[in-house]
Amino acid sequence: EAQVTQNPRYLITVTGKKLTVTCSQNMNHEYMSWYRQDPGLGLRQIYYSMNVEVTDKGDVPEGYKVSRKEKRNFPLILESPSPNQTSLYFCASRGRVSYEQYFGPGTRLTVT
Amino acid sequence: GQNIDQPTEMTATEGAIVQINCTYQTSGFNGLFWYQQHAGEAPTFLSYNVLDGLEEKGRFSSFLSRSKGYSYLLLKELQMKDSASYLCAVRDGDSSYKLIFGSGTRLLVRP
């Protein structure tokens, strides 16, 4: 089954404790992206990647890091999480030809 | 600056037609997307417009006017399951994968 998976689905952590949210897709897609979704603000793009070792900043990259060492994986790293990073995070991917973007199920992160 | 506007909420009756508008002001433009998002779930792709005009896909149609910076999503024969948020997103002109989303329109379909 074609899908985008994210782990964990729910995470509660404390300020300053480094964490990684994993994202994996099995569709051999070139493009992958991370978004955060907050009430009243909609989806905002954090980082995106157009292929292995090619990443670029979205609208809200501060406080986040990404890497794309393999085509299928695109982890999101929070080196020192802060409470303002409490949000719902979505990973997404699409192929080079189709414009249809597939989203993962989301990761709800709470930073206390 | 980048700005995408959609109404926050709309209500419609089962079986009716509803039009959800989206206006945008962005530094570049390379296409406009509509997504559907049910509460607690991930967004799912509905449509993509890059040229002016109407694209029809079953009960859903999407329209684009680039000169007016305007799009709408038309939902016909509304069903209860259409109650969801509808997200408008613009693809930035300088990048093939940078997307700017509006805040979304929450549609409630009543019996």
Side-chain angles (χ1 to χ4, degrees):
Chain A
E1 181 192 351
Q3 60 181 354
V4 180
T5 56
Q6 296 179 226
N7 282 292
R9 294 289 313 279
Y10 302 90
L11 179 60
I12 301 174
T13 189
V14 296
T15 299
K17 186 177 180 183
K18 181 179 178 180
L19 67 92
T20 298
V21 184
T22 64
C23 173
S24 184
Q25 49 92 5
N26 63 359
M27 295 168 279
N28 201 36
H29 283 168
E30 285 78 13
Y31 298 121
M32 297 186 75
S33 185
W34 276 103
Y35 299 89
R36 60 178 290 174
Q37 187 171 37
D38 303 288
L41 296 177
L43 277 164
R44 292 180 292 167
Q45 198 170 32
I46 303 170
Y47 270 96
Y48 59 95
S49 168
M50 289 181 280
N51 216 324
V52 175
E53 303 290 5
V54 182
T55 63
D56 207 348
K57 297 177 182 178
D59 286 324
V60 288
E62 296 78 19
Y64 304 94
K65 283 175 57 177
V66 292
S67 69
R68 187 93 182 272
K69 294 185 170 58
E70 304 165 282
K71 198 171 185 181
R72 63 183 293 125
N73 296 324
F74 190 44
L76 180 69
I77 303 154
L78 285 73
E79 295 270 5
S80 182
S82 62
N84 65 12
Q85 293 178 298
T86 292
S87 188
L88 177 59
Y89 291 86
F90 287 103
C91 179
S93 75
R94 77 164 174 88
R96 191 186 301 277
V97 175
S98 169
Y99 292 109
E100 183 167 354
Q101 182 167 229
Y102 294 81
F103 282 81
T107 295
R108 188 166 291 282
L109 172 66
T110 302
V111 183
T112 60
Chain B
Q2 317 272 49
N3 197 44
I4 298 178
D5 285 318
Q6 306 177 233
T8 304
E9 282 188 359
M10 297 182 72
T11 302
T13 305
E14 191 177 16
I17 299 173
V18 71
Q19 178 174 312
I20 302 174
N21 295 325
C22 171
T23 58
Y24 62 89
Q25 290 176 301
T26 54
S27 56
F29 179 83
N30 215 346
L32 187 142
F33 296 84
W34 284 97
Y35 289 86
Q36 180 190 60
Q37 186 178 24
H38 285 99
E41 297 183 10
T44 54
F45 171 85
L46 288 177
S47 67
Y48 174 66
N49 294 68
V50 64
L51 300 175
D52 289 352
L54 186 69
E55 297 268 348
E56 297 186 75
K57 196 188 287 186
R59 293 189 299 115
F60 292 8
S61 303
S62 56
F63 171 83
L64 175 67
S65 169
R66 289 172 296 171
S67 61
K68 295 181 179 174
Y70 168 68
S71 173
Y72 67 73
L73 180 69
L74 193 71
L75 291 76
K76 301 176 188 174
E77 301 169 16
L78 279 173
Q79 301 175 9
M80 299 298 290
K81 67 178 182 179
D82 297 329
S83 291
S85 288
Y86 291 86
L87 315 179
C88 172
V90 170
R91 193 160 75 121
D92 187 281
D94 293 332
S95 165
S96 62
Y97 198 35
K98 188 170 182 181
L99 289 183
I100 304 157
F101 280 81
S103 300
T105 298
R106 191 160 56 241
L107 174 66
L108 176 63
V109 180
R110 296 187 191 275

